[in-house]
Amino acid sequence: MEYNYPCLKDVGFFFFPIAAAHELISLGKASEMDIVLDLWLHTIYQDSQVQGSDKGPVVYFRNGTGNPLTNFSDLALRWGISKSTVSRIFSKLEKLDYLSLISFPGRHGSVIYLNNYLSTMFQVSDVMIDKEEVSMAFNIPLHIPAASLEADTSPIRDEQICVPNEENSVSKPHMRAMVRKVAKVLATQGIPCCECSRTIYKLYPLSDCVEGNYRYSLRIICPDGREGYHFELFLSPVRTDDEMAGRKYAGGQSGKNQFMGGHVNA
């Protein structure tokens, strides 16, 4: 930008060209301050072309994919440091509340959200980052181990969740667990019915199982007669590492490693 913007003393914005940031990073081993500057200059919020930016200010290095998922190997190469150093710096920045690092299993990678970005840059309230909400945005599987089904502490009771009686479908305990996770995410998005102890959640199958994928209608019904909410829930089974290695379990699945992944459309 070839102009200056006058502002009050110690208040306002400064312009830093991305090209200058790239030149700085390419000089060699990046310092912690260089890394923080690089993260801030590459943070995107509410950009329809950048996945996950609607959930919060996300770090996206403009690689043309629109996907901000990254990994420590790429970051180590970018900053001229080791992966262990990247991990140490992120751990330090998380403790200082500079950022929220959301890591996913396998080869999915990690997403970096900057804390206090909105209040610092635009003087508006910052948003809370929820890992389960982010995982749905990226369509990354939510793991539901059998132990978590038995030790569920959600305030939503089983009788509030109506699931279909179908053969060859997702088990009722897993369906209830998924509905609870979805309700938790929707509550953080400001849907008050998901915080009410009398709300009813009804699932209806929308189509037959196609290659192991399930599609449901999720209706959230308010007991006070107010208009409820309607979502579509898509579930896909995810193979465990043992199953990928070719091991066989009775019934085709291991109860301890069974999990489902899904995403929700309004």
Side-chain angles (χ1 to χ4, degrees):
M1 296 182 179
E2 298 179 355
Y3 63 88
N4 294 321
Y5 182 83
C7 60
L8 299 176
K9 182 179 179 180
D10 297 329
V11 177
F13 293 88
F14 66 90
F15 298 108
F16 197 101
I18 291 295
H22 291 171
E23 182 179 357
L24 174 66
I25 293 301
S26 65
L27 292 177
K29 182 179 179 181
S31 68
E32 290 185 9
M33 187 60 71
D34 294 336
I35 290 173
V36 170
L37 178 63
D38 195 30
L39 295 176
W40 275 72
L41 292 177
H42 287 88
T43 296
I44 303 294
Y45 182 60
Q46 294 287 8
D47 187 333
S48 60
Q49 297 183 349
V50 179
Q51 197 173 2
S53 65
D54 57 327
K55 308 304 177 186
V58 68
V59 176
Y60 172 59
F61 291 112
R62 295 171 172 82
N63 56 13
T65 65
N67 189 333
L69 281 167
T70 186
N71 56 67
F72 284 8
S73 296
D74 290 342
L75 294 177
L77 182 62
R78 177 183 182 86
W79 295 326
I81 56 180
S82 66
K83 290 196 297 182
S84 61
T85 303
V86 173
S87 177
R88 178 184 58 80
I89 291 175
F90 276 160
S91 178
K92 177 181 178 179
L93 294 178
E94 279 193 294
K95 290 180 180 179
L96 294 173
D97 199 32
Y98 269 68
L99 56 81
S100 295
L101 179 67
I102 300 180
S103 300
F104 297 104
R107 299 181 180 179
H108 293 292
S110 303
V111 186
I112 308 166
Y113 285 92
L114 288 194
N115 300 336
N116 308 314
Y117 179 86
L118 298 179
S119 58
T120 300
M121 295 295 291
F122 307 111
Q123 296 183 350
V124 298
S125 299
D126 291 292
V127 296
M128 294 181 60
I129 304 300
D130 184 87
K131 181 175 181 178
E132 293 175 352
E133 184 178 355
V134 173
S135 67
M136 288 185 181
F138 288 92
N139 196 24
I140 293 177
L142 297 176
H143 292 243
I144 309 178
S148 67
L149 301 179
E150 299 173 359
D152 193 354
T153 58
S154 171
I156 301 177
R157 305 181 306 277
D158 284 353
E159 52 265 30
Q160 292 178 249
I161 306 174
C162 301
V163 297
N165 293 315
E166 289 186 299
E167 295 182 359
N168 302 322
S169 182
V170 184
S171 67
K172 287 187 176 182
H174 278 84
M175 287 303 303
R176 292 192 182 101
M178 185 62 70
V179 169
R180 288 185 172 96
K181 285 183 175 290
V182 171
K184 180 181 177 182
V185 169
L186 295 177
T188 63
Q189 293 181 339
I191 297 183
C193 288
C194 294
E195 298 179 315
C196 177
S197 61
R198 298 187 297 148
T199 297
I200 300 299
Y201 304 85
K202 289 190 175 182
L203 280 172
Y204 304 94
L206 293 179
S207 62
D208 295 332
C209 172
V210 179
E211 296 182 356
N213 297 317
Y214 302 89
R215 181 167 168 254
Y216 292 92
S217 167
L218 172 61
R219 293 190 177 274
I220 302 176
I221 303 173
C222 176
D224 294 332
R226 292 178 295 176
E227 185 176 356
Y229 301 87
H230 180 207
F231 299 90
E232 288 188 7
L233 180 64
F234 298 85
L235 301 180
S236 301
V238 182
R239 294 178 181 271
T240 65
D241 292 339
D242 287 338
E243 289 173 328
M244 293 297 290
R247 297 184 182 180
K248 294 183 179 180
Y249 294 90
Q253 289 181 327
S254 166
K256 292 183 179 180
N257 295 313
Q258 184 179 4
F259 52 83
M260 298 293 296
H263 64 278
V264 179
N265 289 341

